[in-house]
Amino acid sequence: MYKLLSLKFGVCNKIIVSKAYPLLYTHTRKMSSFDKLFSKIDELKPTFINRLAKAVEIPAVSSDESLRPMVVKKAEFLLEQLEANGFTDIQRKELGTQPPPVNDENLQLPPVILSRYGNDPAKKTVLVYGHYDVQPASIEDGWESEPFKLVINEEKQLLRARGATDDTGPLTGWINVIQAHREAGIELPVNLITCFEGMEESGSLGLDALIAREATQYFKDVDAVCISDNYWLGAKKPCLTYGLRGCNYYQITINGPAADLHSGIFGGVIAEPMIDLVQVMGTLADSKGNILIKGIEEMVAPITDKESKSYDNIDFSLEDIEAASGSKTSLYQKKEDILMHRWRYPSLSIHGVEGAFSGQGAKTVIPAKVSGKFSIRTVPDIDSDKLTNLVVEHCNKAFKNLGSPNTCVAELIHDGNYWLSDPYNSSFSAAAKATKAVYGVEPDLTREGGSIPITLTFQDELKTSVMLLPMGRGDDGAHSINEKLDISNFMKGMKLMAAYLHYYAESPEK
Amino acid sequence: MYKLLSLKFGVCNKIIVSKAYPLLYTHTRKMSSFDKLFSKIDELKPTFINRLAKAVEIPAVSSDESLRPMVVKKAEFLLEQLEANGFTDIQRKELGTQPPPVNDENLQLPPVILSRYGNDPAKKTVLVYGHYDVQPASIEDGWESEPFKLVINEEKQLLRARGATDDTGPLTGWINVIQAHREAGIELPVNLITCFEGMEESGSLGLDALIAREATQYFKDVDAVCISDNYWLGAKKPCLTYGLRGCNYYQITINGPAADLHSGIFGGVIAEPMIDLVQVMGTLADSKGNILIKGIEEMVAPITDKESKSYDNIDFSLEDIEAASGSKTSLYQKKEDILMHRWRYPSLSIHGVEGAFSGQGAKTVIPAKVSGKFSIRTVPDIDSDKLTNLVVEHCNKAFKNLGSPNTCVAELIHDGNYWLSDPYNSSFSAAAKATKAVYGVEPDLTREGGSIPITLTFQDELKTSVMLLPMGRGDDGAHSINEKLDISNFMKGMKLMAAYLHYYAESPEK
């Protein structure tokens, strides 16, 4: 474990390097003291599953403008839940209209929900963040059941619905932890602040500014931020996460004729935007996982020997990635290569095309305007603005080389920086103890390939440490079909949250 | 005109070379004899527009399995209209279940509607073909109004709806022509047979077999086939069409992980099907209009000097293609080049991708299975089977070069051969006279870039000549948004149909 401690964290300029503590896994709190609380959590299982069921039934897809009222409806549902469970100072923070590109210029952003549980100056204050919006989902995508209806599969011991693991399960988990304390008659040893947003899946629009505004207001006494919005590395062992990749999302739009055309009448005569787009997108990445845009590789922080060795202890294997993807399509065979490409190298994914024919069957259309969507996951020391300049220049050059009479615009849709923290500070240490108490094992200390840009904003604006405490597993299918959360992860995850708050309360430093 | 006559038609092996007639544009029929009929057509304008409105309100999208009941409903509407207008021997021909690939294995094909008007052995028999199914359409695609609601724009003198020009307008036109004869008390000088199908936009599944079956039954006395399912070359001058390109529609399916994945967690680690697909599709065609699949160019019939000169007389210009496409994105500047690439050279269009993200905004998904759709318009002397072999081999080789662990299947979805006829036979001559009588000009004799595969089937199975008699204009937006039919084209188009039947009835030969 001490190997990891000496990792060169300086690769990320913005991180807070706090003093590292030896991990005291000797349990200062008798396990028996958690018994009452954990029993209450077990007893309330039907109530907690019911709360999750009601929450995921609301299709709060933030990227779909037509579903914006549903995102707001879900916020209102959560406001009721907070009120019913004794939270105070509940504030529905409006963020104004959504900035372009947007179809409805007057589209309002969904609210951020702030609330407190406890306000004792003698206690530490923990801010817990979650998001109530979800990724799009449709049964036509291949779901086994309606994505916005919670399926409780007793046989497989799992809960299936869009949002089960990302992030409605963990978010409601915090409310549940408070309910369990109240009903068990156990005092919460910290002050808790909630910050629940509804735009995480669409770039957390408006949240950065809110955090900056509230840093010296609502959030002024926050000692630690805990975010439960990621997953275990695999499906077996709990982990604590101290690093994330960033995500820069781009689109290349090729504009040709004024409207879609018949390929019989115009095929061979008109320069087709879709043919141009395929050519330009073909220059972005190859099938071996290499990004072909020049200048990116040079920005990636080099691997030290110590970092290289740190991968030895992680509980992960090729079989894990094959199980999680349900295929033998990994680009790498060795554990170290897989983990490094997941969390310390950039990657480029092509997500799809807007404006082209996307249905079943055969439609003989020449699409008039097509937008190719792709994103680059960023890592230390990639500079977001510099990356965007490289991407836009690359696309413009690739398009110019085609000599097409169409027009091309390459642009950033949203970006979020990478994040790297110190996995031995008091917050991480408390979570490590909690993991031992609940799961009986010491957690792996991991980084993640995904992006939660707001992590960095909390760290910078609140000048405090942030920790990622995952509830779900690596095979939960977040952003995919048949998203699920194992019932054991839901139940033990809440116990973990609760134990974390207790261990953090008694840690010697803030 | 005689230049065209001497075109070498032998480029298409299957055409029927009939004796060519000098065009007798001296009107054997006094124009005044049409007055009564044409007046009646004008008088019935509100009835005819109302019939079209009722027909296009039914969203008969044949490629959308869920809308199949609507296709059948439209068939039933037409059956009522035929019955109400005195057609006899009306037969609703069922075609059985739709062959795979299909989601619902029991999906029934929509019926073909056969009917007669008149059965006098002394008269010639004309079979008129039309299709009542339509291309998909959604207001979200950018329509100015609901696509399945007829907009009667008196200011612009046009009718806007999906199907207005392709092909519900022309199809109902034939019923209207009979109604006009009946109400004017004018005897129809030919026997008319209708053959209306509901799968044209999806490969006319089942129709080939029906035509083969009925060739010696329902269709046994047919002397000429007239198809009104194409468009003028531009927006000004009527034409008769004697050639069509074929269409071979393909898909390349790349299969990777078992389900869609989160690009944060799996990006850079998993071989992405979408990246493979973009690479393979990038090898199909360049942005200059060139097909990059080897062996296709060699199959194209060479241009003779005579053919080359035949383009001189056609009323068409760069401005027409720019007006029709609403853009300056033509690959060629010269009229001859545009026309040749439209109707005598093959073209390749990429239509879109099934399975990838196609919505608005940003979704960070790695699609698990993606199908790229593209088609090749075929011309003399391209052999369909040979072409498919070349395409599949090309795609397999391009995919193999990627070294991807994913799998790739390239396959034909449907094909339809090209067609070329003799534009001086008795049917074409009659239509030329009718054009002169209605529009006051001699029609251009043109070929088309689009495909109506059934044209060739009628010709081969019925051993008779087929003619394409367009009603709409080149800028009607068939298969595109805001599909329209000019009111003058609708009204004059019906007069043209009527006059054609009269001139053909009195032509010296069958």
Side-chain angles (χ1 to χ4, degrees):
Chain A
M1 280 299 176
Y2 282 90
K3 282 176 188 164
L4 260 178
L5 181 61
S6 53
L7 263 177
K8 194 187 167 208
F9 289 105
V11 290
C12 171
N13 296 326
K14 292 180 181 172
I15 66 151
I16 293 172
V17 179
S18 26
K19 191 178 163 196
Y21 292 92
L23 294 178
L24 295 172
Y25 282 163
T26 53
H27 293 180
T28 52
R29 173 175 296 274
K30 284 194 185 100
M31 278 302 295
S32 62
S33 70
F34 283 140
D35 286 354
K36 195 173 164 192
L37 186 57
F38 289 3
S39 293
K40 182 55 74 177
I41 289 174
D42 287 333
E43 184 191 323
L44 288 169
K45 179 178 166 186
T47 305
F48 297 162
I49 289 179
N50 186 45
R51 179 170 289 140
L52 180 60
K54 283 186 179 161
V56 299
E57 268 181 21
I58 308 166
V61 180
S62 55
S63 65
D64 185 337
E65 291 185 30
S66 68
L67 288 174
R68 187 58 49 87
M70 291 297 107
V71 186
V72 174
K73 187 180 172 189
K74 192 162 174 187
E76 286 161 356
F77 171 78
L78 293 171
L79 287 166
E80 286 166 20
Q81 300 300 308
L82 291 166
E83 179 114 27
N85 285 286
F87 286 78
T88 59
D89 195 10
I90 300 171
Q91 297 196 14
R92 175 183 169 145
K93 293 284 187 186
E94 298 297 343
L95 303 177
T97 53
Q98 184 166 329
V102 75
N103 286 336
D104 172 6
E105 285 177 16
N106 297 315
L107 188 72
Q108 295 296 305
L109 288 165
V112 169
I113 301 172
L114 304 182
S115 70
R116 297 179 189 280
Y117 193 84
N119 202 2
D120 180 347
K123 293 178 182 173
K124 290 177 187 154
T125 299
V126 176
L127 183 150
V128 296
Y129 161 92
H131 66 89
Y132 57 89
D133 64 319
V134 295
Q135 281 279 318
S138 162
I139 195 157
E140 283 79 33
D141 297 340
W143 284 69
E144 285 175 32
S145 54
E146 279 298 336
F148 295 104
K149 175 88 187 155
L150 189 73
V151 170
I152 305 161
N153 189 326
E154 292 289 353
E155 191 191 331
K156 294 184 179 167
Q157 279 289 296
L158 54 82
L159 306 163
R160 184 173 63 235
R162 173 58 86 226
T165 195
D166 181 18
D167 181 44
T168 312
L171 183 151
T172 58
W174 289 113
I175 302 174
N176 300 341
V177 164
I178 297 304
Q179 185 178 4
H181 276 85
R182 286 161 65 89
E183 296 199 14
I186 296 169
E187 186 188 344
L188 196 71
V190 297
N191 303 313
L192 198 75
I193 290 179
T194 73
C195 177
F196 297 155
E197 70 152 327
M199 281 298 281
E200 197 273 342
E201 301 294 3
S202 300
S204 290
L205 298 175
L207 187 59
D208 281 343
L210 177 127
I211 295 171
R213 279 196 304 274
E214 301 298 340
T216 56
Q217 307 289 326
Y218 208 102
F219 301 157
K220 74 178 159 54
D221 295 321
V222 170
D223 297 300
V225 174
C226 180
I227 298 178
S228 189
D229 185 25
N230 68 313
Y231 321 97
W232 296 353
L233 207 46
K236 290 178 229 120
K237 195 174 169 196
C239 65
L240 307 177
T241 306
Y242 67 97
L244 290 167
R245 291 196 290 188
C247 182
N248 282 26
Y249 203 107
Y250 297 98
Q251 73 178 10
I252 310 168
T253 303
I254 313 270
N255 218 322
D260 288 357
L261 299 174
H262 187 301
S263 68
I265 303 174
F266 292 94
V269 173
I270 283 286
E272 301 190 15
M274 191 63 189
I275 285 177
D276 293 348
L277 182 64
V278 164
Q279 292 296 338
V280 175
M281 290 205 297
T283 69
L284 298 175
D286 68 20
S287 293
K288 302 287 189 187
N290 300 304
I291 300 176
L292 304 177
I293 301 167
K294 285 198 172 66
I296 297 178
E297 201 178 326
E298 290 79 351
M299 288 195 282
V300 177
I303 306 166
T304 63
D305 282 351
K306 284 176 184 168
E307 183 192 338
S308 189
K309 282 174 191 155
S310 73
Y311 294 99
D312 296 347
N313 294 327
I314 307 284
D315 180 35
F316 191 75
S317 70
L318 175 63
E319 287 66 37
D320 286 320
I321 199 86
E322 289 182 346
S325 77
S327 67
K328 292 184 184 294
T329 61
S330 177
L331 291 164
Y332 308 97
Q333 308 304 309
K334 284 167 60 186
K335 175 178 84 170
E336 292 76 7
D337 288 333
I338 295 169
L339 291 178
M340 285 196 281
H341 281 278
R342 182 174 188 160
W343 67 35
R344 69 104 55 232
Y345 284 122
S347 64
L348 188 150
S349 296
I350 299 180
H351 306 295
V353 179
E354 181 182 347
F357 174 54
S358 61
Q360 279 185 8
K363 186 178 176 185
T364 52
V365 66
I366 297 175
K369 181 184 174 183
V370 288
S371 295
K373 314 280 181 91
F374 67 100
S375 65
I376 295 174
R377 298 284 165 172
T378 59
V379 295
D381 298 320
I382 291 176
D383 178 80
S384 174
D385 292 342
K386 194 170 168 193
L387 175 64
T388 296
N389 285 341
L390 290 172
V391 168
V392 171
E393 270 175 34
H394 173 94
C395 293
N396 287 343
K397 192 175 165 191
F399 178 74
K400 198 178 170 192
N401 287 343
L402 302 179
S404 167
N406 295 321
T407 60
C408 172
V409 175
E411 61 193 329
L412 179 76
I413 298 186
H414 64 66
D415 64 344
N417 219 338
Y418 55 84
W419 164 76
L420 204 57
S421 183
D422 164 15
Y424 299 101
N425 65 28
S426 56
S427 183
F428 274 91
S429 298
K433 289 180 205 169
T435 304
K436 183 82 177 170
V438 173
Y439 283 99
V441 294
E442 288 181 19
D444 278 337
L445 297 178
T446 65
R447 286 160 69 176
E448 265 280 12
S451 309
I452 314 173
I454 217 64
T455 309
L456 201 62
T457 308
F458 277 119
Q459 180 180 281
D460 293 349
E461 295 290 346
L462 272 53
K463 313 275 185 270
T464 188
S465 77
V466 180
M467 178 184 58
L468 303 191
L469 183 66
M471 177 181 269
R473 301 183 187 182
D475 65 355
D476 278 355
H479 290 216
S480 178
I481 59 167
N482 298 321
E483 178 179 340
K484 61 88 179 168
L485 176 64
D486 293 79
I487 291 175
S488 68
N489 280 57
F490 187 45
M491 298 306 296
K492 287 188 176 170
M494 290 183 285
K495 293 172 188 171
L496 181 66
M497 287 168 165
Y500 160 67
L501 297 178
H502 285 265
Y503 282 118
Y504 181 62
E506 68 188 23
S507 69
E509 288 197 15
K510 286 208 169 178
Chain B
M1 280 299 177
Y2 282 91
K3 281 175 189 162
L4 260 177
L5 181 61
S6 52
L7 263 177
K8 194 187 168 207
F9 288 105
V11 288
C12 170
N13 296 325
K14 294 179 179 174
I15 67 153
I16 293 170
V17 180
S18 25
K19 190 180 164 195
Y21 292 91
L23 295 178
L24 294 171
Y25 282 162
T26 51
H27 292 177
T28 52
R29 171 175 295 275
K30 284 196 186 96
M31 279 301 296
S32 60
S33 71
F34 282 140
D35 286 354
K36 196 173 164 191
L37 185 57
F38 289 2
S39 293
K40 181 57 73 178
I41 289 173
D42 287 332
E43 184 190 321
L44 289 169
K45 178 179 166 185
T47 304
F48 296 162
I49 290 179
N50 185 46
R51 179 170 287 139
L52 180 60
K54 283 185 179 162
V56 298
E57 268 179 23
I58 307 166
V61 180
S62 56
S63 64
D64 185 337
E65 291 185 28
S66 69
L67 288 175
R68 186 58 52 87
M70 290 297 108
V71 186
V72 175
K73 187 179 173 191
K74 194 161 172 185
E76 285 161 357
F77 171 79
L78 293 172
L79 287 165
E80 287 165 20
Q81 299 301 308
L82 291 166
E83 179 114 27
N85 285 285
F87 286 78
T88 60
D89 195 10
I90 299 172
Q91 298 196 13
R92 174 183 170 146
K93 292 285 186 187
E94 298 297 342
L95 303 177
T97 53
Q98 185 166 329
V102 76
N103 286 335
D104 172 7
E105 285 179 15
N106 297 315
L107 187 72
Q108 295 296 304
L109 289 166
V112 168
I113 302 172
L114 304 181
S115 70
R116 298 179 189 279
Y117 194 86
N119 202 4
D120 181 347
K123 291 178 182 174
K124 290 176 186 155
T125 299
V126 176
L127 183 151
V128 296
Y129 161 91
H131 65 88
Y132 57 89
D133 64 321
V134 294
Q135 282 278 317
S138 161
I139 195 159
E140 282 78 33
D141 297 341
W143 284 68
E144 286 174 35
S145 55
E146 281 297 336
F148 295 105
K149 175 87 187 155
L150 189 72
V151 170
I152 305 160
N153 188 326
E154 292 290 350
E155 191 191 330
K156 295 183 178 168
Q157 279 289 296
L158 54 83
L159 306 163
R160 184 172 63 236
R162 173 58 87 224
T165 195
D166 182 18
D167 183 41
T168 313
L171 183 152
T172 58
W174 290 112
I175 303 174
N176 300 341
V177 164
I178 297 304
Q179 184 177 5
H181 276 84
R182 286 161 65 88
E183 296 201 12
I186 296 168
E187 186 188 343
L188 195 71
V190 297
N191 303 313
L192 199 74
I193 289 179
T194 72
C195 176
F196 296 155
E197 70 151 326
M199 280 298 281
E200 196 273 342
E201 302 294 2
S202 300
S204 291
L205 298 174
L207 187 59
D208 280 344
L210 177 128
I211 295 171
R213 279 196 304 276
E214 300 298 341
T216 56
Q217 307 290 327
Y218 207 103
F219 300 157
K220 73 177 159 56
D221 295 321
V222 171
D223 296 299
V225 174
C226 180
I227 297 178
S228 188
D229 186 24
N230 68 313
Y231 320 98
W232 295 352
L233 207 47
K236 290 177 229 121
K237 196 174 167 194
C239 65
L240 306 177
T241 306
Y242 67 97
L244 291 168
R245 291 196 291 188
C247 182
N248 281 27
Y249 203 107
Y250 297 99
Q251 74 179 10
I252 311 168
T253 302
I254 314 270
N255 218 321
D260 289 357
L261 299 175
H262 188 302
S263 68
I265 303 174
F266 293 93
V269 174
I270 283 287
E272 302 191 14
M274 191 63 189
I275 286 177
D276 293 348
L277 181 65
V278 163
Q279 292 296 338
V280 175
M281 288 205 298
T283 69
L284 298 174
D286 68 17
S287 293
K288 302 288 191 188
N290 299 306
I291 300 176
L292 304 178
I293 302 167
K294 286 197 172 66
I296 297 179
E297 199 178 328
E298 290 79 352
M299 289 195 282
V300 177
I303 305 165
T304 62
D305 282 352
K306 284 176 183 168
E307 182 191 341
S308 189
K309 282 176 192 155
S310 74
Y311 295 98
D312 297 347
N313 294 327
I314 306 284
D315 180 35
F316 192 74
S317 69
L318 174 63
E319 287 67 37
D320 285 320
I321 199 85
E322 289 181 346
S325 78
S327 68
K328 291 183 183 295
T329 61
S330 177
L331 290 165
Y332 308 96
Q333 308 304 307
K334 283 166 61 184
K335 175 178 84 172
E336 291 75 7
D337 288 333
I338 296 169
L339 291 178
M340 284 195 283
H341 281 276
R342 182 171 189 163
W343 68 35
R344 70 103 55 230
Y345 284 121
S347 63
L348 188 150
S349 296
I350 299 180
H351 306 296
V353 179
E354 182 181 345
F357 174 54
S358 61
Q360 278 185 8
K363 186 177 177 184
T364 53
V365 67
I366 298 175
K369 181 184 176 184
V370 288
S371 295
K373 313 280 181 92
F374 67 99
S375 66
I376 295 175
R377 297 284 164 172
T378 59
V379 295
D381 295 319
I382 291 177
D383 178 81
S384 174
D385 293 340
K386 194 172 168 193
L387 175 65
T388 296
N389 286 341
L390 290 172
V391 167
V392 171
E393 272 176 35
H394 173 94
C395 293
N396 287 344
K397 192 176 167 192
F399 178 74
K400 199 178 170 193
N401 286 343
L402 302 179
S404 167
N406 295 319
T407 60
C408 173
V409 175
E411 62 193 327
L412 179 76
I413 300 185
H414 65 66
D415 65 343
N417 219 336
Y418 55 84
W419 164 76
L420 204 57
S421 181
D422 164 15
Y424 299 100
N425 65 27
S426 55
S427 184
F428 275 92
S429 297
K433 287 180 205 169
T435 305
K436 182 82 178 170
V438 174
Y439 284 99
V441 293
E442 289 181 17
D444 278 338
L445 297 177
T446 65
R447 286 160 69 176
E448 266 279 11
S451 309
I452 314 173
I454 218 63
T455 308
L456 200 62
T457 308
F458 277 119
Q459 182 180 281
D460 293 350
E461 295 290 347
L462 273 53
K463 312 273 185 277
T464 187
S465 78
V466 181
M467 178 184 59
L468 303 191
L469 184 66
M471 176 181 268
R473 302 182 186 182
D475 65 355
D476 278 355
H479 292 215
S480 176
I481 59 167
N482 298 320
E483 179 180 341
K484 58 90 180 168
L485 177 63
D486 294 78
I487 292 176
S488 68
N489 280 57
F490 188 45
M491 299 307 297
K492 286 187 175 172
M494 291 183 284
K495 292 172 188 171
L496 180 65
M497 288 166 162
Y500 159 69
L501 297 177
H502 285 265
Y503 282 119
Y504 180 64
E506 69 186 24
S507 68
E509 287 196 14
K510 283 204 171 181

